[in-house]
Amino acid sequence: MKVMNENLPAMAPLKQLNKAVTGITRTNQKNPIVTVSTRSRSLVSTVQTRPKRKADFSPIKENVKRTAMCDITNAKKLDEKKKVVAKQPIKKATVQMKTLPSVKTVAKPKQSENVPPPQAPCLNGIVTRAAVKNVAANHTAQKPKEALKEISNVARIKTRLSNEFEKTEESLYSSALEELSDSIGSSANKAKEPKSPEDIKNLSVVSLVTHELQTKLNLGNHEVPEGVTDYDKENWDDTFQVSHYAMDIFNYMKSREPMFEIPNYIDRQVCLTSWMRSLLVDWMVEVQESFELNHETLYLGVKLVDLYLSRMTVGKETLQLVGAASMFIASKYDERIPPAIDDFLYICDGAYTRRELIRMEINLLKVCDFNLGIPLSYRFLRRYARCAKITMPVLTLARFVLEYSLMDYATVVVRDSKLAAAALYLALKMKKTVGWTPALEFYSGYKLEDISSVVVLLNDGLHRKPKSPLMTVRNKYSHKIFFEVAKTPLIRNEELF
């Protein structure tokens, strides 16, 4: 994958830099050539047509002949192998039928005939191996422990048919029903039985302990100001909302933000600039879109890059390696099925080896002290919009503002909770709906005066003239799936407050 037109501000792989100061391979806008390929969902080179999240006018990607979870090979070599295999004649497999030896049947004695079982020779009451060998074909030798197990399993066989080795459809389904009926009957009988004073005393002690524990932790008990609906109380019975702990979880995340504050590090980096970081983040957005990763994975990857660059000095040849390793770690942390290491080596255009990527992953985890529970602005934004009952188009516009700010180095020093609140307020003003409501002030913990400077910073970033190498986020949110929020008219700073 190489850039076709050298006159454009495009980039070559990091280990073969010809021109500028970047660390990422980019795409020619006139003759679009793919720099980040989509993971193929099957072993066939043809891609199934289905709705994608990319914009309609984003760079068209070629069909890359490679598998998702195996080693990447050259497309020409794969075609040659297929042609060679196709030319080879197909050999018919002949199956030889083998006759099984006849099995001698042993006639079982009738129940009326009292045939004593053969006595196995014992040594001081212990069954020996010779005793097991001398047992007749229609009898099995039993050890003393097995005989005791049989006695204990007699009662279980009646109620639990699923323990049998030879299962039938009747036993497979009737066992569950029988156990259910037995459990219901036993629970009903226990309910009818009168409780003793000791049981009542124990129940009162348990309820008292749980009540004291809840009051100490203050779980779900927060005073909501007048005029603000208690979102957690409304969804108290919804297990997916986790309303009992939601307020405490986000308060805890806000208390952890000082642990991950990022200083102004770009001045200490001798070989890097803020423009190079913007190009790296744009490339990471393209990786997230191509691999269809979660947005939390993208935000965590960018955060890991900033944490690593704030503590270590990096050259421009290894900048893309830091970004790939950060996305690799973030996908392992947040994704159900993360991309393989070969996929990240492929999107780097072979600039790095497997050993280099693994060593960078280990080094990055050591620098971050294996602490990946970083508060992310995307999670705060979703919480604020859910509690204030913001519509989906407004929330999507706030997501665009927040994701577009990832490329702006000036937002690195801002806390994520404040950044999410400012992005949501700017989206509300751009849609001309409502302002900073008391509900948003309560659930975010910020007043309008606290986030005013951050709102101006985000709005100035949107007013900058977009550059061709940094169009991935705009193209992504110009799609109909994202309500085309990137085309929303901008507003001036005088209209914000």
Side-chain angles (χ1 to χ4, degrees):
M1 295 181 293
K2 296 182 179 179
V3 180
M4 302 299 296
N5 192 353
E6 296 182 354
N7 296 326
L8 291 176
M11 303 199 48
L14 287 178
K15 289 197 173 181
Q16 300 175 356
L17 288 176
N18 297 327
K19 278 199 172 269
V21 288
T22 76
I24 312 108
T25 57
R26 296 306 312 146
T27 307
N28 187 354
Q29 299 296 329
K30 296 182 179 180
N31 300 319
I33 303 296
V34 180
T35 58
V36 180
S37 64
T38 308
R39 282 194 305 170
S40 59
R41 295 293 182 182
S42 62
L43 299 178
V44 189
S45 60
T46 58
V47 181
Q48 297 179 357
T49 58
R50 61 190 182 88
K52 298 288 290 183
R53 294 184 292 180
K54 287 190 69 63
D56 293 332
F57 48 85
S58 59
I60 302 173
K61 303 191 175 184
E62 297 176 348
N63 293 330
V64 182
K65 295 182 179 181
R66 66 185 186 90
T67 56
M69 306 302 291
C70 302
D71 294 334
I72 309 301
T73 56
N74 195 358
K76 295 182 180 180
K77 293 182 179 180
L78 286 176
D79 294 336
E80 292 176 359
K81 289 182 179 180
K82 290 180 180 180
K83 292 179 181 179
V84 172
V85 173
K87 291 180 180 180
Q88 293 179 357
I90 301 174
K91 297 181 181 180
K92 295 183 179 180
T94 57
V95 181
Q96 295 181 357
M97 300 299 292
K98 295 183 179 181
T99 58
L100 298 175
S102 59
V103 181
K104 295 181 180 181
T105 58
V106 180
K108 295 183 178 180
K110 296 181 180 179
Q111 295 180 357
S112 59
E113 297 178 1
N114 296 325
V115 180
Q119 297 293 332
C122 301
L123 181 62
N124 296 329
I126 301 174
V127 180
T128 59
R129 292 185 179 179
V132 179
K133 291 181 180 178
N134 295 329
V135 176
N138 58 342
H139 293 281
T140 56
Q142 292 183 347
K143 296 180 181 180
K145 292 184 179 180
E146 294 179 355
L148 293 175
K149 287 182 180 179
E150 281 194 356
I151 297 172
S152 62
N153 289 335
V154 171
R156 298 182 184 178
I157 294 173
K158 295 180 180 180
T159 58
R160 191 170 183 83
L161 298 176
S162 58
N163 286 336
E164 299 176 358
F165 290 101
E166 296 180 358
K167 293 184 180 180
T168 59
E169 292 184 359
E170 295 179 357
S171 65
L172 188 61
Y173 296 104
S174 65
S175 60
L177 296 176
E178 288 174 2
E179 291 174 6
L180 182 61
S181 61
D182 293 341
S183 62
I184 293 173
S186 61
S187 61
N189 294 331
K190 289 181 180 179
K192 291 180 181 178
E193 295 178 357
K195 295 181 179 179
S196 61
E198 295 180 357
D199 296 338
I200 297 173
K201 185 177 180 180
N202 294 333
L203 289 175
S204 61
V205 171
V206 171
S207 60
L208 182 62
V209 170
T210 54
H211 179 70
E212 291 180 355
L213 185 62
Q214 288 181 357
T215 53
K216 286 183 179 180
L217 297 177
N218 198 22
L219 297 179
N221 297 325
H222 47 268
E223 296 181 0
V224 181
E226 295 182 2
V228 177
T229 57
D230 195 342
Y231 178 80
D232 295 328
K233 291 292 183 182
E234 289 182 353
N235 301 273
W236 195 259
D237 297 330
D238 190 355
T239 56
F240 297 101
Q241 299 288 343
V242 202
S243 299
H244 300 72
Y245 311 101
M247 198 72 177
D248 302 282
I249 288 172
F250 282 93
N251 289 337
Y252 174 71
M253 290 172 63
K254 288 184 66 175
S255 66
R256 284 175 57 88
E257 284 187 299
M259 299 172 55
F260 302 98
E261 287 185 348
I262 300 173
N264 187 3
Y265 64 84
I266 205 67
D267 296 334
R268 295 190 298 102
Q269 297 291 338
V270 182
C271 304
L272 303 182
T273 60
S274 59
W275 169 251
M276 296 169 62
R277 180 193 173 276
S278 301
L279 287 172
L280 177 66
V281 174
D282 183 83
W283 175 78
M284 294 171 70
V285 173
E286 194 173 355
V287 172
Q288 178 264 333
E289 188 183 7
S290 300
F291 286 163
E292 298 182 355
L293 304 175
N294 298 330
H295 286 86
E296 290 86 348
T297 304
L298 171 64
Y299 283 80
L300 179 57
V302 175
K303 202 72 175 179
L304 290 175
V305 168
D306 290 327
L307 285 173
Y308 187 81
L309 295 180
S310 64
R311 301 173 185 177
M312 302 294 292
T313 304
V314 178
K316 59 184 179 182
E317 294 83 7
T318 58
L319 180 61
Q320 189 179 8
L321 181 61
V322 175
S326 300
M327 290 296 290
F328 189 38
I329 294 172
S331 60
K332 285 183 180 181
Y333 184 79
D334 198 84
E335 297 293 330
R336 184 174 62 90
I337 303 177
I341 189 171
D342 291 329
D343 295 330
F344 286 95
L345 294 175
Y346 181 83
I347 60 178
C348 293
D349 200 14
Y352 310 102
T353 61
R354 178 188 294 264
R355 180 180 177 84
E356 289 175 339
L357 182 57
I358 294 175
R359 287 179 65 87
M360 177 56 70
E361 178 189 7
I362 296 172
N363 191 19
L364 202 150
L365 287 171
K366 287 181 179 179
V367 170
C368 297
D369 199 17
F370 292 86
N371 196 352
L372 301 179
I374 304 173
L376 302 177
S377 57
Y378 186 82
R379 300 186 190 275
F380 286 107
L381 174 63
R382 191 165 51 188
R383 166 70 175 175
Y384 301 159
R386 185 177 296 174
C387 294
K389 298 180 180 179
I390 303 297
T391 59
M392 198 62 192
V394 178
L395 175 59
T396 308
L397 178 59
R399 288 168 56 187
F400 163 68
V401 174
L402 195 63
E403 193 166 330
Y404 196 77
S405 68
L406 291 176
M407 297 182 293
D408 191 359
Y409 175 74
T411 61
V412 170
V413 296
V414 184
R415 291 191 177 183
D416 287 65
S417 58
K418 186 178 291 187
L419 202 62
L424 183 57
Y425 175 77
L426 181 58
L428 290 171
K429 299 301 290 185
M430 291 174 67
K431 287 290 186 180
K432 298 179 181 180
T433 53
V434 293
W436 198 244
T437 61
L440 288 171
E441 182 178 339
F442 169 71
Y443 285 106
S444 65
Y446 293 109
K447 296 182 179 180
L448 185 58
E449 300 83 34
D450 301 332
I451 61 174
S452 58
S453 60
V454 185
V455 173
V456 174
L457 177 64
L458 296 178
N459 195 33
D460 291 340
L462 293 177
H463 277 273
R464 293 194 193 97
K465 185 178 180 181
K467 300 179 181 180
S468 56
L470 306 178
M471 291 295 294
T472 304
V473 179
R474 285 187 176 272
N475 293 341
K476 174 182 176 181
Y477 284 93
S478 296
H479 199 274
K480 293 180 180 179
I481 295 178
F482 294 103
F483 305 101
E484 299 180 353
V485 293
K487 302 177 183 178
T488 305
L490 303 178
I491 59 176
R492 297 176 298 175
N493 291 336
E494 293 78 9
E495 303 175 4
L496 292 175
F497 309 104

